[in-house]
Amino acid sequence: MITIHIIGETAKILTECLAQIGEPAGEKGTSESSQFSQIFRLREVHLLAFFILVYVGVEVTAGGEPST
C-alpha cells in the first residue's frame, strides 16, 4: 500500500513539473502494453540498446584474448 502511495505522489509531482515547463503530461494508456510501446518508440532507448550491445561485444571479445 505504501508503494502505491509513493508512486502516486511521484506521478503527481512529475505531472506538475511538466505543466510548469509547458509540456503535456503524456498519454495515459488503458493497458500496460501501451506504456511499453510508448517507451520502445523512443529513439534514446534504441541508441542505449545499441550502445550496450556494442559495449558488451567489445568487452567479451577483449576478455576472450589470452594474456601473456
Side-chain angles (χ1 to χ4, degrees):
M1 202 70 169
I2 294 173
T3 305
I4 295 171
H5 178 68
I6 292 171
I7 291 172
E9 289 295 319
T10 304
K12 182 179 177 185
I13 293 169
L14 177 62
T15 306
E16 290 172 0
C17 291
L18 288 172
Q20 288 177 355
I21 62 171
E23 291 289 325
E27 300 175 15
K28 291 191 175 192
T30 57
S31 68
E32 202 171 294
S33 64
S34 67
Q35 291 176 348
F36 284 120
S37 63
Q38 288 177 8
I39 291 170
F40 288 130
R41 285 187 205 133
L42 295 174
R43 183 172 184 253
E44 292 83 4
V45 172
H46 295 159
L47 291 174
L48 182 62
F50 178 73
F51 172 77
I52 291 171
L53 179 71
V54 170
Y55 180 81
V56 171
V58 169
E59 198 69 33
V60 168
T61 301
E65 294 180 10
S67 58
T68 55

